[in-house]
Amino acid sequence: YEIDEFMEFYNYRRYHGSLGRMSPVKFNEKYKDIGFPEEMALSL
């Protein structure tokens, strides 16, 4: 169950510099309805 604890930490509590110092969950909640910033789009 250590992996579950890590995933909870990584997705809900760890701040990501590339996401404007937000957790992935907070980032998604903020932008899911208004659209994600274009400068954060991946170029493949």
Side-chain angles (χ1 to χ4, degrees):
Y1 303 104
E2 289 179 22
I3 192 69
D4 293 327
E5 290 177 16
F6 175 78
M7 293 301 294
E8 191 276 332
F9 168 76
Y10 190 87
N11 289 316
Y12 290 89
R13 295 184 284 132
R14 180 177 176 264
Y15 298 124
H16 296 252
S18 63
L19 300 179
R21 305 290 301 150
M22 289 184 262
S23 71
V25 171
K26 291 286 185 190
F27 182 84
N28 188 58
E29 288 173 357
K30 181 175 181 176
Y31 291 109
K32 68 182 176 184
D33 294 328
I34 62 172
F36 296 97
E38 189 173 321
E39 63 270 11
M40 293 188 153
L42 292 176
S43 297
L44 300 176

